[in-house]
Coordinates of all heavy atoms in Angstrom, one line a residue:
M1 N -12.6 15.1 -52.9 CA -11.4 15.7 -52.3 C -11.8 16.4 -51.0 O -11.1 16.4 -50.0 CB -10.8 16.7 -53.2 CG -9.4 17.2 -52.8 SD -8.2 15.9 -52.8 CE -6.7 16.8 -52.6
A2 N -13.1 17.0 -51.0 CA -13.5 17.7 -49.8 C -13.6 16.8 -48.6 O -13.5 17.3 -47.5 CB -14.9 18.4 -50.1
Q3 N -13.8 15.5 -48.8 CA -13.9 14.6 -47.7 C -12.7 14.6 -46.8 O -12.7 14.2 -45.7 CB -14.3 13.2 -48.1 CG -13.2 12.5 -48.9 CD -13.7 11.3 -49.7 OE1 -14.8 11.3 -50.1 NE2 -12.8 10.3 -49.8
F4 N -11.5 15.0 -47.4 CA -10.3 14.9 -46.7 C -9.9 16.3 -46.1 O -8.9 16.4 -45.4 CB -9.1 14.5 -47.6 CG -9.3 13.1 -48.1 CD1 -9.5 12.9 -49.5 CD2 -9.3 12.0 -47.3 CE1 -9.7 11.6 -49.9 CE2 -9.5 10.7 -47.7 CZ -9.7 10.5 -49.1
G5 N -10.6 17.4 -46.5 CA -10.3 18.7 -46.0 C -9.3 19.3 -46.9 O -8.7 18.7 -47.7
S6 N -9.1 20.6 -46.7 CA -8.1 21.4 -47.5 C -6.7 21.0 -47.1 O -6.4 20.4 -46.0 CB -8.3 22.9 -47.3 OG -7.9 23.2 -46.0
V7 N -5.7 21.3 -47.9 CA -4.3 21.0 -47.6 C -3.9 21.7 -46.3 O -3.3 21.1 -45.4 CB -3.4 21.5 -48.8 CG1 -1.9 21.4 -48.4 CG2 -3.7 20.6 -50.0
T8 N -4.4 22.9 -46.1 CA -4.1 23.7 -44.9 C -4.6 23.0 -43.7 O -3.9 22.8 -42.7 CB -4.6 25.1 -45.0 OG1 -4.1 25.8 -46.2 CG2 -4.3 25.9 -43.8
E9 N -5.8 22.5 -43.8 CA -6.5 21.8 -42.7 C -5.7 20.5 -42.4 O -5.5 20.2 -41.2 CB -7.9 21.5 -43.0 CG -8.8 22.7 -43.0 CD -10.2 22.4 -43.5 OE1 -10.4 21.4 -44.3 OE2 -11.1 23.2 -43.2
R10 N -5.3 19.8 -43.4 CA -4.6 18.5 -43.2 C -3.2 18.8 -42.6 O -2.8 18.1 -41.7 CB -4.5 17.8 -44.5 CG -5.8 17.4 -45.0 CD -5.8 16.7 -46.3 NE -5.2 15.4 -46.2 CZ -4.9 14.6 -47.3 NH1 -5.1 15.1 -48.5 NH2 -4.4 13.4 -47.1
L11 N -2.5 19.8 -43.1 CA -1.2 20.1 -42.5 C -1.3 20.6 -41.0 O -0.4 20.3 -40.3 CB -0.5 21.2 -43.3 CG 0.0 20.8 -44.7 CD1 0.5 22.1 -45.5 CD2 1.0 19.8 -44.6
A12 N -2.4 21.2 -40.7 CA -2.6 21.6 -39.3 C -2.6 20.4 -38.3 O -2.4 20.6 -37.1 CB -3.8 22.4 -39.2
N13 N -2.8 19.2 -38.8 CA -2.9 18.0 -38.0 C -1.5 17.6 -37.6 O -1.3 16.7 -36.7 CB -3.6 16.9 -38.7 CG -5.1 17.2 -38.8 OD1 -5.7 17.9 -37.9 ND2 -5.7 16.7 -39.8
N14 N -0.5 18.0 -38.3 CA 0.9 17.6 -38.0 C 1.4 18.1 -36.7 O 0.9 19.1 -36.2 CB 1.8 18.0 -39.2 CG 1.5 17.4 -40.5 OD1 1.0 16.3 -40.5 ND2 1.7 18.1 -41.6
H15 N 2.4 17.4 -36.2 CA 3.0 17.9 -34.9 C 4.4 18.3 -35.2 O 5.2 17.6 -35.9 CB 3.0 16.8 -33.9 CG 3.7 17.1 -32.6 ND1 3.2 18.0 -31.7 CD2 4.9 16.8 -32.2 CE1 4.1 18.1 -30.7 NE2 5.1 17.4 -31.0
F16 N 4.8 19.5 -34.7 CA 6.2 19.9 -34.9 C 6.9 20.0 -33.5 O 6.3 20.5 -32.5 CB 6.2 21.3 -35.4 CG 5.7 21.4 -36.9 CD1 4.3 21.5 -37.1 CD2 6.6 21.3 -37.9 CE1 3.8 21.6 -38.4 CE2 6.1 21.3 -39.2 CZ 4.7 21.5 -39.5
E17 N 8.1 19.4 -33.4 CA 8.9 19.5 -32.3 C 10.1 20.4 -32.7 O 11.1 19.8 -33.2 CB 9.3 18.1 -31.8 CG 10.0 18.1 -30.4 CD 9.0 18.5 -29.3 OE1 7.8 18.1 -29.3 OE2 9.4 19.3 -28.5
P18 N 10.1 21.7 -32.4 CA 11.2 22.5 -32.9 C 12.4 22.4 -32.1 O 12.4 22.2 -30.9 CB 10.6 23.9 -32.7 CG 9.5 23.8 -31.7 CD 9.0 22.4 -31.8
D19 N 13.6 22.4 -32.8 CA 14.9 22.4 -32.2 C 15.3 23.8 -32.0 O 15.7 24.5 -33.0 CB 15.9 21.6 -33.1 CG 17.2 21.4 -32.4 OD1 17.5 22.1 -31.4 OD2 18.0 20.6 -32.9
D20 N 15.2 24.3 -30.8 CA 15.6 25.7 -30.5 C 17.1 26.0 -30.5 O 17.5 27.1 -30.4 CB 14.9 26.2 -29.2 CG 13.4 26.2 -29.3 OD1 12.9 26.4 -30.5 OD2 12.7 25.9 -28.3
E21 N 17.9 24.9 -30.4 CA 19.3 25.1 -30.3 C 20.1 25.0 -31.6 O 21.2 25.5 -31.7 CB 19.9 24.1 -29.3 CG 19.3 24.3 -27.9 CD 19.9 23.3 -26.9 OE1 20.8 22.5 -27.3 OE2 19.4 23.3 -25.8
E22 N 19.5 24.3 -32.6 CA 20.2 24.1 -33.8 C 19.3 24.0 -35.0 O 18.3 23.3 -35.0 CB 20.9 22.7 -33.7 CG 21.7 22.3 -34.9 CD 22.4 20.9 -34.8 OE1 23.0 20.7 -33.7 OE2 22.2 20.1 -35.7
S23 N 19.6 24.9 -36.0 CA 18.8 24.9 -37.2 C 19.3 23.8 -38.2 O 20.5 23.7 -38.3 CB 18.8 26.2 -37.9 OG 18.2 26.2 -39.2
H24 N 18.4 23.0 -38.8 CA 18.9 22.0 -39.8 C 19.0 22.6 -41.2 O 19.3 21.9 -42.1 CB 18.0 20.8 -39.8 CG 16.6 21.1 -40.2 ND1 15.6 21.8 -39.5 CD2 16.0 20.8 -41.4 CE1 14.5 21.9 -40.2 NE2 14.7 21.3 -41.3
I25 N 18.8 24.0 -41.3 CA 18.9 24.6 -42.6 C 19.8 25.9 -42.4 O 19.6 26.7 -41.5 CB 17.5 25.1 -43.1 CG1 16.5 24.0 -43.1 CG2 17.6 25.8 -44.4 CD1 15.1 24.4 -43.3
E26 N 20.8 25.9 -43.2 CA 21.7 27.1 -43.2 C 21.8 27.6 -44.6 O 22.1 26.8 -45.6 CB 23.1 26.8 -42.7 CG 23.1 26.6 -41.2 CD 24.6 26.3 -40.7 OE1 25.5 27.1 -41.1 OE2 24.7 25.2 -40.1
V27 N 21.7 28.9 -44.8 CA 21.9 29.6 -46.1 C 23.2 30.2 -46.1 O 23.6 31.0 -45.2 CB 20.8 30.6 -46.4 CG1 21.0 31.4 -47.6 CG2 19.4 29.9 -46.4
D28 N 24.0 30.0 -47.1 CA 25.2 30.8 -47.4 C 24.8 32.0 -48.1 O 24.5 32.0 -49.2 CB 26.2 30.0 -48.2 CG 27.5 30.7 -48.4 OD1 27.5 32.0 -48.6 OD2 28.6 30.0 -48.4
Q29 N 24.7 33.1 -47.3 CA 24.1 34.3 -47.8 C 24.8 34.9 -49.0 O 24.1 35.3 -50.0 CB 24.0 35.4 -46.7 CG 23.1 35.0 -45.5 CD 21.6 35.0 -45.8 OE1 21.2 35.5 -46.8 NE2 20.8 34.3 -44.9
A30 N 26.1 34.8 -49.0 CA 26.9 35.4 -50.1 C 26.6 34.6 -51.4 O 26.4 35.1 -52.5 CB 28.3 35.5 -49.8
A31 N 26.7 33.2 -51.2 CA 26.5 32.4 -52.4 C 25.1 32.4 -52.9 O 24.8 32.5 -54.1 CB 26.9 30.9 -52.0
A32 N 24.1 32.5 -52.0 CA 22.7 32.6 -52.4 C 22.4 33.9 -53.1 O 21.7 33.9 -54.1 CB 21.8 32.4 -51.1
R33 N 23.0 35.0 -52.6 CA 22.8 36.3 -53.2 C 23.4 36.3 -54.6 O 22.8 36.7 -55.6 CB 23.5 37.4 -52.4 CG 23.1 38.8 -52.9 CD 23.9 39.8 -52.0 NE 23.7 39.7 -50.6 CZ 22.9 40.4 -49.9 NH1 22.2 41.4 -50.5 NH2 22.7 40.3 -48.6
A34 N 24.6 35.7 -54.8 CA 25.3 35.6 -56.1 C 24.5 34.8 -57.1 O 24.4 35.1 -58.2 CB 26.7 35.1 -55.9
A35 N 23.8 33.8 -56.5 CA 23.0 32.9 -57.4 C 21.6 33.4 -57.6 O 20.9 32.9 -58.5 CB 22.9 31.5 -56.8
G36 N 21.2 34.4 -56.8 CA 19.9 35.0 -57.0 C 18.8 33.9 -56.6 O 17.7 34.0 -57.2
V37 N 19.1 33.1 -55.7 CA 18.1 32.0 -55.4 C 17.1 32.3 -54.4 O 16.1 31.6 -54.2 CB 18.9 30.7 -54.9 CG1 19.5 30.9 -53.5 CG2 18.1 29.5 -55.0
G38 N 17.2 33.4 -53.7 CA 16.2 33.8 -52.6 C 14.8 33.7 -53.1 O 13.9 33.1 -52.4
P39 N 14.4 34.5 -54.1 CA 13.0 34.5 -54.5 C 12.5 33.1 -54.9 O 11.3 32.8 -54.6 CB 13.0 35.4 -55.8 CG 14.2 36.3 -55.5 CD 15.2 35.5 -54.9
L40 N 13.3 32.2 -55.4 CA 12.9 30.9 -55.8 C 12.6 30.1 -54.5 O 11.6 29.4 -54.4 CB 14.0 30.2 -56.6 CG 13.7 28.7 -56.9 CD1 12.5 28.6 -57.7 CD2 14.9 28.1 -57.6
L41 N 13.4 30.2 -53.5 CA 13.2 29.5 -52.2 C 11.9 30.0 -51.6 O 11.1 29.2 -51.1 CB 14.4 29.7 -51.3 CG 15.7 29.1 -51.7 CD1 16.8 29.5 -50.7 CD2 15.6 27.6 -51.8
V42 N 11.7 31.3 -51.6 CA 10.5 31.8 -51.0 C 9.2 31.2 -51.7 O 8.2 30.9 -51.1 CB 10.4 33.3 -51.1 CG1 9.1 33.9 -50.7 CG2 11.5 33.9 -50.2
R43 N 9.3 31.1 -53.1 CA 8.2 30.7 -53.9 C 7.9 29.2 -53.8 O 6.7 28.8 -53.8 CB 8.5 31.0 -55.3 CG 7.2 31.1 -56.2 CD 7.4 31.8 -57.5 NE 8.4 31.2 -58.4 CZ 9.6 31.7 -58.7 NH1 9.9 32.9 -58.3 NH2 10.4 31.1 -59.5
I44 N 8.9 28.3 -53.7 CA 8.7 26.9 -53.7 C 8.5 26.2 -52.4 O 7.9 25.1 -52.4 CB 9.9 26.2 -54.5 CG1 11.2 26.4 -53.8 CG2 9.9 26.6 -55.9 CD1 11.6 25.5 -52.8
C45 N 8.8 26.8 -51.3 CA 8.7 26.2 -50.0 C 7.2 26.1 -49.6 O 6.6 27.2 -49.4 CB 9.5 26.8 -48.9 SG 9.3 26.1 -47.3
P46 N 6.6 25.0 -49.4 CA 5.2 24.9 -49.1 C 4.9 25.3 -47.6 O 3.8 25.6 -47.3 CB 4.9 23.4 -49.3 CG 6.2 22.7 -49.0 CD 7.3 23.6 -49.6
A47 N 6.0 25.4 -46.8 CA 5.8 25.8 -45.4 C 6.2 27.2 -45.1 O 6.1 27.7 -44.0 CB 6.6 24.9 -44.5
H48 N 6.5 28.0 -46.2 CA 6.9 29.4 -46.0 C 8.1 29.5 -45.0 O 8.0 30.4 -44.2 CB 5.7 30.2 -45.6 CG 4.5 30.1 -46.5 ND1 4.6 30.6 -47.8 CD2 3.3 29.5 -46.3 CE1 3.4 30.3 -48.4 NE2 2.6 29.7 -47.5
V49 N 9.0 28.6 -45.1 CA 10.2 28.7 -44.2 C 11.1 29.9 -44.6 O 11.7 30.5 -43.7 CB 11.0 27.4 -44.3 CG1 12.4 27.5 -43.7 CG2 10.2 26.3 -43.6
Y50 N 11.2 30.2 -45.9 CA 12.1 31.2 -46.3 C 11.4 32.6 -46.5 O 10.2 32.6 -46.9 CB 12.7 30.8 -47.7 CG 13.5 29.5 -47.6 CD1 13.0 28.3 -48.0 CD2 14.8 29.6 -47.0 CE1 13.7 27.2 -47.8 CE2 15.5 28.4 -46.9 CZ 15.0 27.2 -47.3 OH 15.7 26.0 -47.2
S51 N 12.2 33.6 -46.2 CA 11.7 35.0 -46.4 C 12.8 35.9 -46.9 O 14.0 35.5 -46.7 CB 11.1 35.5 -45.1 OG 12.1 35.5 -44.1
M52 N 12.5 36.9 -47.6 CA 13.5 37.8 -48.1 C 13.5 39.1 -47.2 O 12.5 39.7 -47.0 CB 13.2 38.2 -49.5 CG 13.3 37.1 -50.5 SD 15.0 36.5 -50.7 CE 15.9 37.9 -51.3
G53 N 14.7 39.5 -46.7 CA 14.8 40.7 -45.9 C 15.0 41.9 -46.9 O 15.2 41.7 -48.1
E54 N 14.7 43.1 -46.4 CA 14.9 44.2 -47.2 C 16.3 44.4 -47.8 O 16.5 45.0 -48.8 CB 14.4 45.5 -46.5 CG 12.9 45.5 -46.2 CD 12.5 46.8 -45.6 OE1 13.3 47.8 -45.6 OE2 11.3 46.8 -45.1
D55 N 17.3 43.9 -47.1 CA 18.6 44.0 -47.5 C 19.0 42.8 -48.5 O 20.2 42.7 -48.9 CB 19.6 44.0 -46.3 CG 19.5 42.7 -45.5 OD1 18.7 41.8 -45.8 OD2 20.3 42.5 -44.6
G56 N 18.1 42.0 -48.8 CA 18.3 40.9 -49.8 C 18.8 39.6 -49.1 O 19.0 38.6 -49.8
S57 N 18.9 39.6 -47.8 CA 19.3 38.4 -47.1 C 18.0 37.5 -47.0 O 16.9 37.9 -47.2 CB 19.7 38.7 -45.7 OG 18.7 39.3 -44.9
I58 N 18.3 36.2 -46.8 CA 17.3 35.2 -46.8 C 17.1 34.7 -45.4 O 18.0 34.2 -44.7 CB 17.7 34.0 -47.7 CG1 17.9 34.4 -49.1 CG2 16.6 32.9 -47.6 CD1 18.5 33.3 -50.0
G59 N 15.9 34.9 -44.9 CA 15.5 34.5 -43.5 C 15.1 33.0 -43.6 O 14.5 32.6 -44.5
V60 N 15.3 32.3 -42.5 CA 14.9 30.9 -42.4 C 14.2 30.7 -41.0 O 14.7 30.9 -40.0 CB 16.1 30.0 -42.4 CG1 15.7 28.5 -42.3 CG2 16.9 30.2 -43.7
T61 N 12.9 30.2 -41.1 CA 12.2 29.8 -40.0 C 12.1 28.3 -40.0 O 11.1 27.6 -40.4 CB 10.7 30.4 -40.0 OG1 10.9 31.8 -40.2 CG2 10.0 30.1 -38.7
H62 N 13.2 27.6 -39.5 CA 13.4 26.2 -39.7 C 12.3 25.4 -38.9 O 12.0 24.2 -39.3 CB 14.8 25.8 -39.3 CG 15.0 25.8 -37.8 ND1 15.3 27.0 -37.1 CD2 14.9 24.8 -36.8 CE1 15.5 26.7 -35.8 NE2 15.2 25.4 -35.6
A63 N 11.8 25.9 -37.9 CA 10.8 25.1 -37.1 C 9.6 24.7 -37.9 O 8.9 23.8 -37.5 CB 10.4 25.9 -35.9
A64 N 9.3 25.4 -39.0 CA 8.1 25.1 -39.8 C 8.3 24.1 -40.9 O 7.4 23.8 -41.6 CB 7.5 26.4 -40.4
C65 N 9.6 23.7 -41.0 CA 9.9 22.8 -42.2 C 9.2 21.5 -42.2 O 9.1 20.8 -41.2 CB 11.4 22.6 -42.1 SG 12.0 21.5 -43.4
L66 N 8.7 21.1 -43.3 CA 8.0 19.9 -43.6 C 8.9 18.7 -44.0 O 8.4 17.6 -44.2 CB 6.9 20.1 -44.6 CG 5.7 21.0 -44.2 CD1 4.9 21.4 -45.4 CD2 4.9 20.4 -43.1
E67 N 10.2 19.1 -44.1 CA 11.2 18.0 -44.5 C 10.9 17.4 -45.8 O 11.1 16.2 -46.0 CB 11.3 17.0 -43.4 CG 11.8 17.7 -42.1 CD 11.7 16.7 -40.9 OE1 11.9 15.5 -41.1 OE2 11.5 17.2 -39.7
C68 N 10.4 18.2 -46.8 CA 10.0 17.6 -48.1 C 11.2 17.6 -49.0 O 11.2 16.8 -50.0 CB 8.9 18.5 -48.7 SG 9.4 20.1 -49.2
G69 N 12.3 18.4 -48.7 CA 13.5 18.3 -49.6 C 13.4 19.2 -50.8 O 14.4 19.2 -51.6
T70 N 12.4 19.9 -51.1 CA 12.2 20.6 -52.3 C 13.3 21.7 -52.4 O 13.9 21.9 -53.5 CB 10.8 21.3 -52.4 OG1 9.8 20.2 -52.3 CG2 10.6 21.9 -53.8
C71 N 13.5 22.4 -51.4 CA 14.5 23.5 -51.4 C 15.9 23.0 -51.8 O 16.7 23.5 -52.5 CB 14.5 24.3 -50.1 SG 14.9 23.3 -48.7
L72 N 16.2 21.8 -51.2 CA 17.5 21.2 -51.4 C 17.6 20.8 -52.9 O 18.7 20.8 -53.5 CB 17.7 20.0 -50.5 CG 19.1 19.4 -50.4 CD1 20.1 20.4 -49.9 CD2 19.1 18.2 -49.5
A73 N 16.5 20.4 -53.5 CA 16.6 19.9 -54.9 C 16.8 21.1 -55.9 O 17.3 20.9 -56.9 CB 15.3 19.2 -55.2
V74 N 16.3 22.2 -55.5 CA 16.4 23.4 -56.5 C 17.5 24.3 -56.2 O 17.9 25.1 -57.1 CB 15.0 24.1 -56.5 CG1 13.9 23.2 -56.9 CG2 14.8 24.9 -55.2
A75 N 18.1 24.3 -55.0 CA 19.1 25.3 -54.6 C 20.4 25.0 -55.4 O 20.8 23.8 -55.3 CB 19.3 25.3 -53.1
P76 N 21.1 25.9 -56.0 CA 22.3 25.7 -56.6 C 23.4 25.2 -55.6 O 23.3 25.6 -54.4 CB 22.8 27.0 -57.2 CG 21.5 27.8 -57.3 CD 20.6 27.3 -56.2
P77 N 24.3 24.3 -55.9 CA 25.3 23.8 -55.0 C 26.0 24.9 -54.3 O 26.3 25.9 -54.9 CB 26.3 23.0 -55.9 CG 25.4 22.7 -57.1 CD 24.5 23.8 -57.3
G78 N 26.2 24.7 -53.0 CA 26.9 25.7 -52.2 C 26.1 26.8 -51.6 O 26.6 27.6 -50.8
T79 N 24.8 26.9 -51.9 CA 24.0 27.9 -51.4 C 23.2 27.5 -50.2 O 22.8 28.4 -49.4 CB 22.9 28.4 -52.5 OG1 22.1 27.3 -52.9 CG2 23.6 29.0 -53.7
L80 N 23.0 26.2 -50.0 CA 22.1 25.8 -48.9 C 22.8 24.5 -48.2 O 23.2 23.6 -48.9 CB 20.8 25.4 -49.5 CG 19.6 25.2 -48.6 CD1 19.2 26.5 -47.8 CD2 18.4 24.8 -49.4
R81 N 22.8 24.5 -46.9 CA 23.1 23.3 -46.2 C 21.9 22.8 -45.5 O 21.3 23.6 -44.7 CB 24.3 23.6 -45.2 CG 25.6 23.7 -45.9 CD 26.7 23.9 -44.9 NE 26.7 25.2 -44.3 CZ 27.1 26.4 -44.8 NH1 27.6 26.3 -46.0 NH2 26.9 27.5 -44.2
W82 N 21.5 21.6 -45.7 CA 20.2 21.1 -45.2 C 20.5 19.6 -44.8 O 21.1 18.9 -45.5 CB 19.2 21.1 -46.3 CG 17.8 20.8 -45.9 CD1 16.8 21.8 -45.7 CD2 17.2 19.6 -45.6 NE1 15.6 21.1 -45.4 CE2 15.8 19.8 -45.3 CE3 17.6 18.2 -45.6 CZ2 14.9 18.8 -44.9 CZ3 16.8 17.2 -45.2 CH2 15.4 17.5 -44.9
H83 N 20.0 19.3 -43.6 CA 20.0 17.9 -43.2 C 18.7 17.7 -42.3 O 18.1 18.7 -41.9 CB 21.2 17.6 -42.4 CG 21.4 18.4 -41.1 ND1 20.8 18.2 -39.9 CD2 22.2 19.6 -40.9 CE1 21.1 19.1 -39.1 NE2 22.0 19.9 -39.6
Y84 N 18.4 16.5 -42.1 CA 17.2 16.2 -41.3 C 17.5 16.8 -39.9 O 18.6 16.8 -39.4 CB 16.8 14.8 -41.2 CG 16.2 14.3 -42.5 CD1 16.9 13.5 -43.4 CD2 14.9 14.6 -42.8 CE1 16.2 13.1 -44.6 CE2 14.2 14.2 -43.9 CZ 14.9 13.4 -44.8 OH 14.3 13.0 -46.0
P85 N 16.4 17.2 -39.2 CA 16.6 17.6 -37.8 C 17.2 16.5 -36.9 O 17.1 15.3 -37.2 CB 15.2 18.0 -37.3 CG 14.4 18.3 -38.6 CD 15.0 17.4 -39.6
R86 N 17.8 16.9 -35.8 CA 18.3 15.9 -34.9 C 17.2 15.0 -34.4 O 16.1 15.4 -34.4 CB 19.0 16.6 -33.7 CG 20.2 17.5 -34.0 CD 20.9 18.0 -32.8 NE 20.0 19.0 -32.1 CZ 20.2 19.3 -30.8 NH1 21.2 18.8 -30.1 NH2 19.4 20.2 -30.2
G87 N 17.6 13.9 -33.9 CA 16.6 12.9 -33.4 C 15.7 13.5 -32.4 O 16.1 14.2 -31.5
G88 N 14.4 13.2 -32.6 CA 13.4 13.7 -31.7 C 12.8 15.1 -32.1 O 11.8 15.5 -31.5
F89 N 13.4 15.7 -33.1 CA 12.9 17.0 -33.5 C 12.4 16.9 -34.9 O 12.6 16.0 -35.6 CB 14.1 18.1 -33.4 CG 14.6 18.3 -32.1 CD1 15.8 17.8 -31.7 CD2 13.8 19.1 -31.2 CE1 16.3 18.1 -30.4 CE2 14.3 19.3 -29.9 CZ 15.6 18.8 -29.5
G90 N 11.6 18.0 -35.3 CA 11.1 18.1 -36.6 C 9.6 17.8 -36.7 O 8.9 17.8 -35.7
V91 N 9.2 17.4 -37.9 CA 7.7 17.2 -38.1 C 7.3 15.8 -37.9 O 8.1 14.8 -38.2 CB 7.3 17.7 -39.5 CG1 8.0 16.9 -40.6 CG2 5.8 17.7 -39.7
T92 N 6.2 15.5 -37.4 CA 5.6 14.2 -37.3 C 4.2 14.3 -38.0 O 3.4 15.1 -37.6 CB 5.3 13.8 -35.8 OG1 6.6 13.8 -35.1 CG2 4.7 12.4 -35.8
Y93 N 4.1 13.5 -39.1 CA 2.9 13.5 -39.9 C 1.8 12.7 -39.2 O 2.1 11.6 -38.8 CB 3.2 13.0 -41.3 CG 4.0 14.0 -42.1 CD1 5.3 13.9 -42.3 CD2 3.3 15.1 -42.7 CE1 6.1 14.8 -43.0 CE2 4.1 16.0 -43.4 CZ 5.4 15.8 -43.6 OH 6.1 16.7 -44.3
R94 N 0.7 13.3 -39.1 CA -0.4 12.6 -38.4 C -1.5 12.2 -39.4 O -2.5 11.6 -39.0 CB -1.0 13.4 -37.3 CG -0.1 13.6 -36.2 CD -0.7 14.3 -35.1 NE 0.1 14.2 -33.9 CZ 0.0 14.9 -32.8 NH1 -0.9 15.9 -32.7 NH2 0.8 14.7 -31.7
E95 N -1.4 12.6 -40.7 CA -2.4 12.3 -41.7 C -1.7 12.2 -43.0 O -0.9 13.0 -43.4 CB -3.5 13.3 -41.7 CG -4.6 13.0 -42.7 CD -5.7 14.0 -42.5 OE1 -5.7 14.9 -41.7 OE2 -6.7 13.9 -43.3
G96 N -2.1 11.2 -43.8 CA -1.6 11.2 -45.2 C -0.3 10.5 -45.3 O 0.3 10.0 -44.4
Ligands
SF4_101 FE1 10.5 24.1 -47.2 FE2 10.5 21.6 -47.9 FE3 12.8 23.0 -47.8 FE4 11.5 22.3 -45.5 S1 12.5 20.9 -47.0 S2 12.4 24.3 -46.0 S3 9.4 22.5 -46.2 S4 11.1 23.3 -49.2

């Protein structure tokens, strides 16, 4: 396994083209709060896209998204709107 480097090292080889005008991830804060999904999103996202504010709101740093779809798979219906980034934006995998 060491011959391939750590996961962190391998992820660092990826290229990100962030869309500064439009986020491809939107959280319905009221629905997410009612469902209590914030801590789960923070825990499962491999790119640490989600964060919890002191007021219980969920922060999103969409530019770091790996487009794995895990958050979409676990979020209760109506709490998250997610689509792939617009053409030309997002992650480009360079390894693996
Ligand atoms: Fe994180 Fe994957 Fe969701 Fe992107 S798609 S925000 S990397 S869990």
Side-chain angles (χ1 to χ4, degrees):
M1 192 66 168
Q3 69 196 32
F4 299 114
S6 70
V7 171
T8 302
E9 289 169 338
R10 295 175 72 186
L11 288 175
N13 290 328
N14 297 328
H15 174 74
F16 292 86
E17 192 62 45
D19 186 343
D20 295 330
E21 294 181 9
E22 181 182 310
S23 174
H24 66 287
I25 305 170
E26 283 182 57
V27 174
D28 184 320
Q29 296 290 343
R33 189 185 305 258
V37 73
L40 176 61
L41 293 175
V42 170
R43 200 165 61 245
I44 56 91
C45 176
H48 306 292
V49 164
Y50 298 100
S51 59
M52 294 293 299
E54 289 187 12
D55 62 354
S57 65
I58 301 171
V60 178
T61 307
H62 71 278
C65 179
L66 295 167
E67 301 171 28
C68 68
T70 306
C71 57
L72 191 60
V74 302
T79 58
L80 195 64
R81 283 181 292 280
W82 190 103
H83 58 81
Y84 284 106
R86 296 187 294 162
F89 295 106
V91 64
T92 301
Y93 289 98
R94 291 186 166 165
E95 185 173 353

